[in-house]
Amino acid sequence: MIAKEENVCDLCTFLEADMTIHPDILLGASSVLSDRLKSCTIAFLYTYPTLLTKLIPILSELMKKGNLRLVGTLTYHLPSENADVAQKDEEHDIQIYSKVEAII
């Protein structure tokens, strides 16, 4: 695990969940993950575009109702109509977003 190699395990929390579930269910009062998800401040994603677009609704809700402040992507990036790029690293193909919004 990179966090262990970089000696930052005490600064990070890793959650494993099916994030394609509707945000109302994941963030609902009866969800065991609700508080933990809402406390996330940064999400870093390395996933194929088909899954990445399915994550837009939950990322949008976490930015509105939770503490999520930044989303980072590597290689595959969010569509420009759904996200505001705050920073780009062309050399490493990383993008940091300050806003993610689900367009209905």
Side-chain angles (χ1 to χ4, degrees):
M1 177 191 308
I2 295 173
K4 188 174 183 177
E5 291 172 10
E6 297 296 326
N7 199 30
V8 294
C9 285
D10 57 331
L11 302 173
C12 302
T13 301
F14 297 88
L15 301 176
E16 195 173 324
D18 181 353
M19 299 299 284
T20 62
I21 295 171
H22 195 279
D24 289 344
I25 296 170
L26 276 177
L27 301 177
S30 63
S31 170
V32 295
L33 289 174
S34 180
D35 289 341
R36 294 185 77 190
L37 287 172
K38 287 179 182 175
S39 71
C40 291
T41 55
I42 298 171
F44 191 80
L45 308 167
Y46 176 62
T47 186
Y48 286 111
T50 50
L51 178 57
L52 197 54
T53 56
K54 290 180 182 180
L55 298 177
I56 291 170
I58 188 70
L59 294 172
S60 176
E61 285 298 305
L62 287 171
M63 288 193 133
K64 290 177 190 171
K65 298 178 182 174
N67 289 316
L68 191 62
R69 300 292 173 251
L70 296 172
V71 175
T73 56
L74 173 67
T75 306
Y76 306 104
H77 306 293
L78 294 166
S80 59
E81 63 268 12
N82 294 102
D84 294 342
V85 177
Q87 189 175 355
K88 273 187 183 184
D89 179 335
E90 303 271 344
E91 181 181 353
H92 299 101
D93 199 10
I94 296 172
Q95 290 190 22
I96 306 296
Y97 304 92
S98 58
K99 182 179 181 182
V100 177
E101 191 166 10
I103 299 171
I104 299 170

